Amino acid sequence: MASKKPAPVKADAPARKGRSATSYDVALRAGVSQSAVSRHFKPGASVSPETRARVIKAARELDYIPNALARSLITRRSNLVAVLISNLTNLYYPEVLSELSQQFVSKGMRILLFTVPHEEDIDQVVSQVWQYQVDGVIAATRLSLEHIMEFERRGIPLVLFNRTLKEKAVNAVVCDQIEGARDLVSRLAATGHQRFGIISGPKDSVVGQERTRGARARILELGLREPLIVPGEYDYQSGVRGMRELIDAKGKAPDAIICGNDIMAIGCVDAARHEFGLDVPGALSIAGFDGVEPATWLSYQLTTLRQPVQKMAHSAVDMLVSLIGNEQDSPEKRVFSAVLIEGKTARLQQPPQ
Amino acid sequence: MASKKPAPVKADAPARKGRSATSYDVALRAGVSQSAVSRHFKPGASVSPETRARVIKAARELDYIPNALARSLITRRSNLVAVLISNLTNLYYPEVLSELSQQFVSKGMRILLFTVPHEEDIDQVVSQVWQYQVDGVIAATRLSLEHIMEFERRGIPLVLFNRTLKEKAVNAVVCDQIEGARDLVSRLAATGHQRFGIISGPKDSVVGQERTRGARARILELGLREPLIVPGEYDYQSGVRGMRELIDAKGKAPDAIICGNDIMAIGCVDAARHEFGLDVPGALSIAGFDGVEPATWLSYQLTTLRQPVQKMAHSAVDMLVSLIGNEQDSPEKRVFSAVLIEGKTARLQQPPQ
DNA sequence: TTGTAGGCGTTATCAT
DNA sequence: ATGATAACGCCTACAA
């Protein structure tokens, strides 16, 4: 029988069966010390060409790859970033995630993905985040004040994406929804729209509420009548239902409908055209927010306020990375402006006299 | 002014400044050994109610959370799963990712996300995967034989999602594209379609090629004329361009167009209707693959072959998890059938005599 | 430039 | 049931 104590490693081959080679194995094979191997993988380390060559050779022969987990343990940097995202079926988020991903790879960081299907689950999710010693967090989810405080307490840099907190200043990259919504209303009012309807986002969506609030405020400012507001859940069916409700509501039907996001706007357009036979934008103007891809499709060519997702993602990653390096100083909020895409679902040009 | 230096740590607090509490800190505070703390967090461990109480108390007071990285180092299980995904802007993938994510959380595993924007980048991406000691990999990307062999060599369980390899049996969850494509053609032929056009997926997409091949084979089998095949890239514009090319091609225009995925089909429908004023499905039938959400929108109600994404994701996760537990035995391929959604962009019913 | 040795935070083994 | 003690694979002074 083989002795119970670990057999003296054979000169060649990675010692323990099934396991992958370690830096120690490589050192053994290259005839150098383990630290020499380690150094070799560190960028600006001092190592003679000769040793380097031997290490490279041995490493290649053994298929050696450094263990990032072990490294993180000692360096206290995991190069892992948590991305919390609500609802990937939301169409807006995949774009965000995709951009974030690209940016992070270019910084040499890996994404630990946490999807939050239901708001209730957020607690559980957040508690999972700590365990993996992520260097930072980007959250595109609703986050409670307590959670944010906890991040701060644990010293984990956090950047909110398209979210802010009323109660507390916090690092965030956002798009000015109110400004956008006001512009939109102004433009619509300038071309004669008078009766506004709004299909709003869910109550717990700050972004959605801002869009609604901004639009409503401007409507009233302009002396137009109180808009009819019906609730939605950011999905296509909400747009369809919203349209029905606005039509069914007593009083004259609106001549302009502002939807909390593009998908609802698309549902709204479809319902208007296919269910009610309305001419959009002839009889009714409809606009959305986000600027997702389907909004550009020929069937819609939606009038919408496009968020500069790419810029925002870039900015968020930059912010997080610089936060990770340095001490946390005062929170910063980067605000981007939405861009009005005129599209063809709203009358925004003066009719020729 | 408040002093700049961090206040001297209280006797209680975790010792080293800025660092989070370790099991050792908890042990100290609870007056037990470090291993007792470790045991406490292990499910079926033997620990007296009294010590347990003290550990819980101390842990809570110190905000202690176990370090998953350190744990993984010794247990050789990271509970990390790599998900390789091509192109999140593809609309089909976010659905997949979303489902995978849900399933993995329920198994207590975390997702390390790797997006592969360009096929060329795959090498770099794959090499990143190893470092983090993931327990397994789900790949919804094109993967070369070498890569797959490398996974095998390193003993990392791999499940391909909607992909297979001709050269080698490999664990995979797929949807039978050929069967689906054949069915679709049969149905179309049964209602009198004779001249087929195909807008195919990109050359390097196995799924796309299968769809095209399956359709073409059945078309020829039925004695119909060789279909006109134009290439596409799975995006909306490809559908639009494809439509144009099919119209421009010499010979009579097709009366049925099969597109490599829904998004191209949508582009194709839009081009047909808005650019060429064609009646779809009256003058021209158009069908796609995948069953993504926009396909259901009122403007389209696309005829399509829906992939059972949820079932497939569920199955893939199950497969991977059981692979992780046990030794790798012979590769398994799980094949699902697509479901034909009749929709309203193709004539699939016999006109009433 | 190179090697030795200690430590990162945890789990596992083995006495007690 | 509990506590030493040895890994796990790596990085990093420090000494040579």
PDB file of all heavy atoms in Angstrom, chain A residues 19 63 68 78 101 111 113 115 131-132 153-154 236 270 298-299, chain B residues 63 68 76 78 101 111 113 115 131-132 153-154 236 270 298-299:
ATOM      1  N   ARG A  19      -6.079  17.014 -10.725  1.00  0.00           N
ATOM      2  CA  ARG A  19      -5.960  18.440 -10.449  1.00  0.00           C
ATOM      3  C   ARG A  19      -5.141  19.114 -11.529  1.00  0.00           C
ATOM      4  O   ARG A  19      -4.282  18.508 -12.154  1.00  0.00           O
ATOM      5  CB  ARG A  19      -5.297  18.652  -9.105  1.00  0.00           C
ATOM      6  CG  ARG A  19      -6.128  18.091  -7.988  1.00  0.00           C
ATOM      7  CD  ARG A  19      -5.567  18.539  -6.691  1.00  0.00           C
ATOM      8  NE  ARG A  19      -6.317  17.947  -5.596  1.00  0.00           N
ATOM      9  CZ  ARG A  19      -5.989  18.116  -4.335  1.00  0.00           C
ATOM     10  NH1 ARG A  19      -4.941  18.851  -4.030  1.00  0.00           N
ATOM     11  NH2 ARG A  19      -6.700  17.563  -3.391  1.00  0.00           N
ATOM     12  N   ASP A  63       0.302  23.061 -19.050  1.00  0.00           N
ATOM     13  CA  ASP A  63      -0.983  23.746 -19.211  1.00  0.00           C
ATOM     14  C   ASP A  63      -1.315  24.564 -17.985  1.00  0.00           C
ATOM     15  O   ASP A  63      -2.447  24.582 -17.523  1.00  0.00           O
ATOM     16  CB  ASP A  63      -2.100  22.711 -19.400  1.00  0.00           C
ATOM     17  CG  ASP A  63      -2.401  22.516 -20.867  1.00  0.00           C
ATOM     18  OD1 ASP A  63      -2.032  23.389 -21.644  1.00  0.00           O
ATOM     19  OD2 ASP A  63      -2.993  21.488 -21.197  1.00  0.00           O
ATOM     20  N   ALA A  68      -7.009  32.272 -10.122  1.00  0.00           N
ATOM     21  CA  ALA A  68      -7.407  33.642  -9.777  1.00  0.00           C
ATOM     22  C   ALA A  68      -7.974  33.741  -8.371  1.00  0.00           C
ATOM     23  O   ALA A  68      -7.840  34.765  -7.710  1.00  0.00           O
ATOM     24  CB  ALA A  68      -8.420  34.168 -10.781  1.00  0.00           C
ATOM     25  N   SER A  78     -10.316  40.863  -6.516  1.00  0.00           N
ATOM     26  CA  SER A  78     -10.817  39.683  -7.220  1.00  0.00           C
ATOM     27  C   SER A  78     -10.968  39.936  -8.716  1.00  0.00           C
ATOM     28  O   SER A  78     -11.108  39.005  -9.493  1.00  0.00           O
ATOM     29  CB  SER A  78     -12.165  39.278  -6.644  1.00  0.00           C
ATOM     30  OG  SER A  78     -13.107  40.321  -6.839  1.00  0.00           O
ATOM     31  N   SER A 101     -20.657  44.753 -20.186  1.00  0.00           N
ATOM     32  CA  SER A 101     -19.769  43.610 -20.353  1.00  0.00           C
ATOM     33  C   SER A 101     -18.549  43.969 -21.191  1.00  0.00           C
ATOM     34  O   SER A 101     -17.411  43.705 -20.817  1.00  0.00           O
ATOM     35  CB  SER A 101     -20.542  42.465 -20.990  1.00  0.00           C
ATOM     36  OG  SER A 101     -19.675  41.412 -21.297  1.00  0.00           O
ATOM     37  N   ILE A 111     -17.529  39.769 -14.918  1.00  0.00           N
ATOM     38  CA  ILE A 111     -18.848  40.103 -14.390  1.00  0.00           C
ATOM     39  C   ILE A 111     -19.501  38.926 -13.686  1.00  0.00           C
ATOM     40  O   ILE A 111     -19.633  37.842 -14.241  1.00  0.00           O
ATOM     41  CB  ILE A 111     -19.781  40.560 -15.524  1.00  0.00           C
ATOM     42  CG1 ILE A 111     -19.379  41.945 -16.005  1.00  0.00           C
ATOM     43  CG2 ILE A 111     -21.220  40.602 -15.041  1.00  0.00           C
ATOM     44  CD1 ILE A 111     -20.327  42.519 -17.013  1.00  0.00           C
ATOM     45  N   LEU A 113     -22.941  37.926 -12.522  1.00  0.00           N
ATOM     46  CA  LEU A 113     -24.269  38.423 -12.866  1.00  0.00           C
ATOM     47  C   LEU A 113     -25.328  38.038 -11.843  1.00  0.00           C
ATOM     48  O   LEU A 113     -25.443  36.872 -11.461  1.00  0.00           O
ATOM     49  CB  LEU A 113     -24.680  37.878 -14.237  1.00  0.00           C
ATOM     50  CG  LEU A 113     -26.061  38.294 -14.716  1.00  0.00           C
ATOM     51  CD1 LEU A 113     -26.104  39.782 -15.022  1.00  0.00           C
ATOM     52  CD2 LEU A 113     -26.461  37.501 -15.946  1.00  0.00           C
ATOM     53  N   THR A 115     -29.384  38.440 -11.495  1.00  0.00           N
ATOM     54  CA  THR A 115     -30.647  38.952 -12.005  1.00  0.00           C
ATOM     55  C   THR A 115     -31.670  38.915 -10.887  1.00  0.00           C
ATOM     56  O   THR A 115     -31.683  38.005 -10.069  1.00  0.00           O
ATOM     57  CB  THR A 115     -31.174  38.131 -13.185  1.00  0.00           C
ATOM     58  OG1 THR A 115     -31.397  36.795 -12.768  1.00  0.00           O
ATOM     59  CG2 THR A 115     -30.178  38.127 -14.329  1.00  0.00           C
ATOM     60  N   GLN A 131     -20.176  37.513  -0.496  1.00  0.00           N
ATOM     61  CA  GLN A 131     -19.344  36.319  -0.366  1.00  0.00           C
ATOM     62  C   GLN A 131     -18.219  36.246  -1.380  1.00  0.00           C
ATOM     63  O   GLN A 131     -17.161  35.711  -1.098  1.00  0.00           O
ATOM     64  CB  GLN A 131     -20.217  35.086  -0.514  1.00  0.00           C
ATOM     65  CG  GLN A 131     -21.433  35.129   0.364  1.00  0.00           C
ATOM     66  CD  GLN A 131     -21.975  33.755   0.633  1.00  0.00           C
ATOM     67  OE1 GLN A 131     -21.371  32.772   0.231  1.00  0.00           O
ATOM     68  NE2 GLN A 131     -23.097  33.686   1.309  1.00  0.00           N
ATOM     69  N   TYR A 132     -18.471  36.777  -2.554  1.00  0.00           N
ATOM     70  CA  TYR A 132     -17.461  36.592  -3.594  1.00  0.00           C
ATOM     71  C   TYR A 132     -16.455  37.727  -3.683  1.00  0.00           C
ATOM     72  O   TYR A 132     -15.730  37.833  -4.653  1.00  0.00           O
ATOM     73  CB  TYR A 132     -18.124  36.315  -4.936  1.00  0.00           C
ATOM     74  CG  TYR A 132     -18.595  34.891  -5.000  1.00  0.00           C
ATOM     75  CD1 TYR A 132     -19.850  34.537  -4.541  1.00  0.00           C
ATOM     76  CD2 TYR A 132     -17.748  33.892  -5.450  1.00  0.00           C
ATOM     77  CE1 TYR A 132     -20.265  33.220  -4.543  1.00  0.00           C
ATOM     78  CE2 TYR A 132     -18.145  32.570  -5.456  1.00  0.00           C
ATOM     79  CZ  TYR A 132     -19.404  32.244  -5.006  1.00  0.00           C
ATOM     80  OH  TYR A 132     -19.799  30.935  -4.998  1.00  0.00           O
ATOM     81  N   ARG A 153     -20.805  50.539   4.192  1.00  0.00           N
ATOM     82  CA  ARG A 153     -20.200  50.021   5.416  1.00  0.00           C
ATOM     83  C   ARG A 153     -19.101  49.011   5.101  1.00  0.00           C
ATOM     84  O   ARG A 153     -18.042  49.000   5.718  1.00  0.00           O
ATOM     85  CB  ARG A 153     -21.303  49.373   6.264  1.00  0.00           C
ATOM     86  CG  ARG A 153     -21.010  49.264   7.719  1.00  0.00           C
ATOM     87  CD  ARG A 153     -22.290  49.337   8.556  1.00  0.00           C
ATOM     88  NE  ARG A 153     -23.424  48.669   7.941  1.00  0.00           N
ATOM     89  CZ  ARG A 153     -23.630  47.361   7.969  1.00  0.00           C
ATOM     90  NH1 ARG A 153     -22.776  46.570   8.565  1.00  0.00           N
ATOM     91  NH2 ARG A 153     -24.698  46.833   7.398  1.00  0.00           N
ATOM     92  N   ARG A 154     -19.370  48.183   4.133  1.00  0.00           N
ATOM     93  CA  ARG A 154     -18.390  47.153   3.801  1.00  0.00           C
ATOM     94  C   ARG A 154     -17.311  47.685   2.855  1.00  0.00           C
ATOM     95  O   ARG A 154     -16.427  46.946   2.429  1.00  0.00           O
ATOM     96  CB  ARG A 154     -19.071  45.957   3.156  1.00  0.00           C
ATOM     97  CG  ARG A 154     -20.027  45.246   4.079  1.00  0.00           C
ATOM     98  CD  ARG A 154     -20.501  43.949   3.502  1.00  0.00           C
ATOM     99  NE  ARG A 154     -21.510  43.330   4.340  1.00  0.00           N
ATOM    100  CZ  ARG A 154     -21.245  42.495   5.351  1.00  0.00           C
ATOM    101  NH1 ARG A 154     -19.995  42.199   5.634  1.00  0.00           N
ATOM    102  NH2 ARG A 154     -22.208  41.983   6.059  1.00  0.00           N
ATOM    103  N   TYR A 236     -45.276  45.089 -23.195  1.00  0.00           N
ATOM    104  CA  TYR A 236     -46.103  45.328 -24.370  1.00  0.00           C
ATOM    105  C   TYR A 236     -47.593  45.355 -24.029  1.00  0.00           C
ATOM    106  O   TYR A 236     -48.320  46.264 -24.422  1.00  0.00           O
ATOM    107  CB  TYR A 236     -45.816  44.238 -25.396  1.00  0.00           C
ATOM    108  CG  TYR A 236     -46.587  44.350 -26.688  1.00  0.00           C
ATOM    109  CD1 TYR A 236     -46.126  45.168 -27.715  1.00  0.00           C
ATOM    110  CD2 TYR A 236     -47.769  43.646 -26.873  1.00  0.00           C
ATOM    111  CE1 TYR A 236     -46.826  45.270 -28.911  1.00  0.00           C
ATOM    112  CE2 TYR A 236     -48.477  43.744 -28.066  1.00  0.00           C
ATOM    113  CZ  TYR A 236     -48.005  44.547 -29.087  1.00  0.00           C
ATOM    114  OH  TYR A 236     -48.698  44.653 -30.256  1.00  0.00           O
ATOM    115  N   ASP A 270     -49.615  49.767 -31.570  1.00  0.00           N
ATOM    116  CA  ASP A 270     -50.267  48.617 -32.178  1.00  0.00           C
ATOM    117  C   ASP A 270     -51.755  48.580 -31.860  1.00  0.00           C
ATOM    118  O   ASP A 270     -52.587  48.322 -32.732  1.00  0.00           O
ATOM    119  CB  ASP A 270     -49.591  47.319 -31.712  1.00  0.00           C
ATOM    120  CG  ASP A 270     -48.385  46.965 -32.567  1.00  0.00           C
ATOM    121  OD1 ASP A 270     -48.206  47.607 -33.627  1.00  0.00           O
ATOM    122  OD2 ASP A 270     -47.626  46.062 -32.188  1.00  0.00           O
ATOM    123  N   LEU A 298     -39.403  49.568 -39.105  1.00  0.00           N
ATOM    124  CA  LEU A 298     -40.251  50.293 -40.065  1.00  0.00           C
ATOM    125  C   LEU A 298     -41.720  50.355 -39.668  1.00  0.00           C
ATOM    126  O   LEU A 298     -42.412  51.316 -39.973  1.00  0.00           O
ATOM    127  CB  LEU A 298     -40.120  49.652 -41.448  1.00  0.00           C
ATOM    128  CG  LEU A 298     -38.788  49.877 -42.162  1.00  0.00           C
ATOM    129  CD1 LEU A 298     -38.695  49.021 -43.412  1.00  0.00           C
ATOM    130  CD2 LEU A 298     -38.640  51.364 -42.513  1.00  0.00           C
ATOM    131  N   SER A 299     -42.184  49.332 -38.982  1.00  0.00           N
ATOM    132  CA  SER A 299     -43.586  49.337 -38.587  1.00  0.00           C
ATOM    133  C   SER A 299     -43.868  50.391 -37.536  1.00  0.00           C
ATOM    134  O   SER A 299     -45.015  50.771 -37.315  1.00  0.00           O
ATOM    135  CB  SER A 299     -44.002  47.974 -38.032  1.00  0.00           C
ATOM    136  OG  SER A 299     -44.115  47.031 -39.069  1.00  0.00           O
TER     137      SER A 299
ATOM    138  N   ASP B  63     -20.909  41.530  11.539  1.00  0.00           N
ATOM    139  CA  ASP B  63     -21.301  41.522  10.120  1.00  0.00           C
ATOM    140  C   ASP B  63     -20.482  40.504   9.352  1.00  0.00           C
ATOM    141  O   ASP B  63     -20.041  40.758   8.237  1.00  0.00           O
ATOM    142  CB  ASP B  63     -21.050  42.893   9.487  1.00  0.00           C
ATOM    143  CG  ASP B  63     -22.309  43.728   9.521  1.00  0.00           C
ATOM    144  OD1 ASP B  63     -23.396  43.150   9.669  1.00  0.00           O
ATOM    145  OD2 ASP B  63     -22.188  44.951   9.395  1.00  0.00           O
ATOM    146  N   ALA B  68     -16.144  33.373   0.201  1.00  0.00           N
ATOM    147  CA  ALA B  68     -16.366  32.249  -0.723  1.00  0.00           C
ATOM    148  C   ALA B  68     -15.102  31.877  -1.481  1.00  0.00           C
ATOM    149  O   ALA B  68     -14.905  30.721  -1.837  1.00  0.00           O
ATOM    150  CB  ALA B  68     -17.479  32.600  -1.706  1.00  0.00           C
ATOM    151  N   ARG B  76     -12.354  23.137  -3.449  1.00  0.00           N
ATOM    152  CA  ARG B  76     -12.272  22.899  -4.894  1.00  0.00           C
ATOM    153  C   ARG B  76     -13.641  22.982  -5.556  1.00  0.00           C
ATOM    154  O   ARG B  76     -13.917  22.311  -6.547  1.00  0.00           O
ATOM    155  CB  ARG B  76     -11.644  21.544  -5.206  1.00  0.00           C
ATOM    156  CG  ARG B  76     -10.544  21.174  -4.262  1.00  0.00           C
ATOM    157  CD  ARG B  76      -9.740  20.020  -4.755  1.00  0.00           C
ATOM    158  NE  ARG B  76      -8.338  20.343  -4.581  1.00  0.00           N
ATOM    159  CZ  ARG B  76      -7.666  21.092  -5.434  1.00  0.00           C
ATOM    160  NH1 ARG B  76      -8.227  21.549  -6.507  1.00  0.00           N
ATOM    161  NH2 ARG B  76      -6.404  21.389  -5.195  1.00  0.00           N
ATOM    162  N   SER B  78     -16.229  26.146  -6.557  1.00  0.00           N
ATOM    163  CA  SER B  78     -16.404  27.596  -6.477  1.00  0.00           C
ATOM    164  C   SER B  78     -17.865  28.000  -6.513  1.00  0.00           C
ATOM    165  O   SER B  78     -18.217  29.125  -6.192  1.00  0.00           O
ATOM    166  CB  SER B  78     -15.672  28.259  -7.645  1.00  0.00           C
ATOM    167  OG  SER B  78     -16.249  27.845  -8.869  1.00  0.00           O
ATOM    168  N   SER B 101     -30.114  32.124 -15.604  1.00  0.00           N
ATOM    169  CA  SER B 101     -29.835  32.792 -14.345  1.00  0.00           C
ATOM    170  C   SER B 101     -30.779  32.324 -13.244  1.00  0.00           C
ATOM    171  O   SER B 101     -30.357  31.950 -12.156  1.00  0.00           O
ATOM    172  CB  SER B 101     -29.941  34.295 -14.545  1.00  0.00           C
ATOM    173  OG  SER B 101     -29.824  34.953 -13.311  1.00  0.00           O
ATOM    174  N   ILE B 111     -23.375  33.068 -11.578  1.00  0.00           N
ATOM    175  CA  ILE B 111     -22.999  33.117 -12.989  1.00  0.00           C
ATOM    176  C   ILE B 111     -21.871  34.102 -13.253  1.00  0.00           C
ATOM    177  O   ILE B 111     -21.951  35.269 -12.894  1.00  0.00           O
ATOM    178  CB  ILE B 111     -24.197  33.528 -13.857  1.00  0.00           C
ATOM    179  CG1 ILE B 111     -25.200  32.387 -13.934  1.00  0.00           C
ATOM    180  CG2 ILE B 111     -23.734  33.896 -15.259  1.00  0.00           C
ATOM    181  CD1 ILE B 111     -26.328  32.653 -14.888  1.00  0.00           C
ATOM    182  N   LEU B 113     -20.328  35.872 -16.196  1.00  0.00           N
ATOM    183  CA  LEU B 113     -20.802  36.116 -17.558  1.00  0.00           C
ATOM    184  C   LEU B 113     -19.678  36.480 -18.518  1.00  0.00           C
ATOM    185  O   LEU B 113     -18.869  37.362 -18.236  1.00  0.00           O
ATOM    186  CB  LEU B 113     -21.841  37.242 -17.542  1.00  0.00           C
ATOM    187  CG  LEU B 113     -22.398  37.635 -18.907  1.00  0.00           C
ATOM    188  CD1 LEU B 113     -23.250  36.517 -19.471  1.00  0.00           C
ATOM    189  CD2 LEU B 113     -23.212  38.917 -18.793  1.00  0.00           C
ATOM    190  N   THR B 115     -19.402  37.616 -22.432  1.00  0.00           N
ATOM    191  CA  THR B 115     -20.031  37.884 -23.717  1.00  0.00           C
ATOM    192  C   THR B 115     -18.952  37.903 -24.788  1.00  0.00           C
ATOM    193  O   THR B 115     -17.837  38.353 -24.550  1.00  0.00           O
ATOM    194  CB  THR B 115     -20.778  39.226 -23.734  1.00  0.00           C
ATOM    195  OG1 THR B 115     -19.850  40.267 -23.485  1.00  0.00           O
ATOM    196  CG2 THR B 115     -21.854  39.264 -22.666  1.00  0.00           C
ATOM    197  N   GLN B 131      -9.198  30.649 -15.203  1.00  0.00           N
ATOM    198  CA  GLN B 131      -8.617  31.269 -14.026  1.00  0.00           C
ATOM    199  C   GLN B 131      -9.535  31.268 -12.819  1.00  0.00           C
ATOM    200  O   GLN B 131      -9.084  31.206 -11.692  1.00  0.00           O
ATOM    201  CB  GLN B 131      -8.250  32.712 -14.349  1.00  0.00           C
ATOM    202  CG  GLN B 131      -7.453  32.826 -15.619  1.00  0.00           C
ATOM    203  CD  GLN B 131      -6.636  34.091 -15.650  1.00  0.00           C
ATOM    204  OE1 GLN B 131      -6.608  34.823 -14.680  1.00  0.00           O
ATOM    205  NE2 GLN B 131      -5.970  34.331 -16.756  1.00  0.00           N
ATOM    206  N   TYR B 132     -10.823  31.341 -13.084  1.00  0.00           N
ATOM    207  CA  TYR B 132     -11.734  31.491 -11.956  1.00  0.00           C
ATOM    208  C   TYR B 132     -12.284  30.177 -11.438  1.00  0.00           C
ATOM    209  O   TYR B 132     -13.228  30.153 -10.675  1.00  0.00           O
ATOM    210  CB  TYR B 132     -12.838  32.486 -12.281  1.00  0.00           C
ATOM    211  CG  TYR B 132     -12.317  33.896 -12.188  1.00  0.00           C
ATOM    212  CD1 TYR B 132     -11.722  34.517 -13.265  1.00  0.00           C
ATOM    213  CD2 TYR B 132     -12.355  34.569 -10.972  1.00  0.00           C
ATOM    214  CE1 TYR B 132     -11.189  35.789 -13.162  1.00  0.00           C
ATOM    215  CE2 TYR B 132     -11.832  35.837 -10.848  1.00  0.00           C
ATOM    216  CZ  TYR B 132     -11.245  36.445 -11.945  1.00  0.00           C
ATOM    217  OH  TYR B 132     -10.719  37.699 -11.811  1.00  0.00           O
ATOM    218  N   ARG B 153     -10.027  18.214 -21.223  1.00  0.00           N
ATOM    219  CA  ARG B 153      -8.713  17.953 -20.648  1.00  0.00           C
ATOM    220  C   ARG B 153      -8.617  18.469 -19.222  1.00  0.00           C
ATOM    221  O   ARG B 153      -8.055  17.828 -18.341  1.00  0.00           O
ATOM    222  CB  ARG B 153      -7.652  18.617 -21.531  1.00  0.00           C
ATOM    223  CG  ARG B 153      -6.281  18.069 -21.416  1.00  0.00           C
ATOM    224  CD  ARG B 153      -5.522  18.188 -22.734  1.00  0.00           C
ATOM    225  NE  ARG B 153      -5.804  19.416 -23.457  1.00  0.00           N
ATOM    226  CZ  ARG B 153      -5.252  20.592 -23.190  1.00  0.00           C
ATOM    227  NH1 ARG B 153      -4.380  20.703 -22.214  1.00  0.00           N
ATOM    228  NH2 ARG B 153      -5.546  21.658 -23.895  1.00  0.00           N
ATOM    229  N   ARG B 154      -9.185  19.630 -19.032  1.00  0.00           N
ATOM    230  CA  ARG B 154      -9.108  20.217 -17.701  1.00  0.00           C
ATOM    231  C   ARG B 154     -10.206  19.716 -16.776  1.00  0.00           C
ATOM    232  O   ARG B 154     -10.320  20.153 -15.636  1.00  0.00           O
ATOM    233  CB  ARG B 154      -9.198  21.740 -17.795  1.00  0.00           C
ATOM    234  CG  ARG B 154      -8.025  22.358 -18.517  1.00  0.00           C
ATOM    235  CD  ARG B 154      -8.055  23.869 -18.427  1.00  0.00           C
ATOM    236  NE  ARG B 154      -7.018  24.459 -19.243  1.00  0.00           N
ATOM    237  CZ  ARG B 154      -5.777  24.687 -18.817  1.00  0.00           C
ATOM    238  NH1 ARG B 154      -5.434  24.371 -17.605  1.00  0.00           N
ATOM    239  NH2 ARG B 154      -4.896  25.231 -19.625  1.00  0.00           N
ATOM    240  N   TYR B 236     -32.126  42.761 -37.932  1.00  0.00           N
ATOM    241  CA  TYR B 236     -33.263  43.336 -38.630  1.00  0.00           C
ATOM    242  C   TYR B 236     -32.896  43.772 -40.049  1.00  0.00           C
ATOM    243  O   TYR B 236     -33.587  43.452 -41.021  1.00  0.00           O
ATOM    244  CB  TYR B 236     -33.782  44.520 -37.826  1.00  0.00           C
ATOM    245  CG  TYR B 236     -34.984  45.216 -38.419  1.00  0.00           C
ATOM    246  CD1 TYR B 236     -36.270  44.751 -38.168  1.00  0.00           C
ATOM    247  CD2 TYR B 236     -34.826  46.348 -39.202  1.00  0.00           C
ATOM    248  CE1 TYR B 236     -37.378  45.391 -38.694  1.00  0.00           C
ATOM    249  CE2 TYR B 236     -35.925  47.002 -39.745  1.00  0.00           C
ATOM    250  CZ  TYR B 236     -37.194  46.515 -39.480  1.00  0.00           C
ATOM    251  OH  TYR B 236     -38.284  47.153 -40.010  1.00  0.00           O
ATOM    252  N   ASP B 270     -41.494  43.730 -42.656  1.00  0.00           N
ATOM    253  CA  ASP B 270     -41.567  45.190 -42.744  1.00  0.00           C
ATOM    254  C   ASP B 270     -41.186  45.686 -44.124  1.00  0.00           C
ATOM    255  O   ASP B 270     -41.847  46.566 -44.689  1.00  0.00           O
ATOM    256  CB  ASP B 270     -40.649  45.836 -41.687  1.00  0.00           C
ATOM    257  CG  ASP B 270     -41.356  45.991 -40.348  1.00  0.00           C
ATOM    258  OD1 ASP B 270     -42.579  45.792 -40.301  1.00  0.00           O
ATOM    259  OD2 ASP B 270     -40.674  46.302 -39.347  1.00  0.00           O
ATOM    260  N   LEU B 298     -48.759  42.726 -32.300  1.00  0.00           N
ATOM    261  CA  LEU B 298     -49.885  42.810 -33.230  1.00  0.00           C
ATOM    262  C   LEU B 298     -49.473  43.186 -34.652  1.00  0.00           C
ATOM    263  O   LEU B 298     -50.108  42.772 -35.613  1.00  0.00           O
ATOM    264  CB  LEU B 298     -50.903  43.831 -32.717  1.00  0.00           C
ATOM    265  CG  LEU B 298     -51.708  43.385 -31.490  1.00  0.00           C
ATOM    266  CD1 LEU B 298     -52.519  44.547 -30.929  1.00  0.00           C
ATOM    267  CD2 LEU B 298     -52.613  42.212 -31.862  1.00  0.00           C
ATOM    268  N   SER B 299     -48.436  43.961 -34.773  1.00  0.00           N
ATOM    269  CA  SER B 299     -48.007  44.360 -36.118  1.00  0.00           C
ATOM    270  C   SER B 299     -47.440  43.193 -36.897  1.00  0.00           C
ATOM    271  O   SER B 299     -47.318  43.258 -38.115  1.00  0.00           O
ATOM    272  CB  SER B 299     -46.940  45.457 -36.040  1.00  0.00           C
ATOM    273  OG  SER B 299     -47.534  46.683 -35.668  1.00  0.00           O
TER     274      SER B 299
END
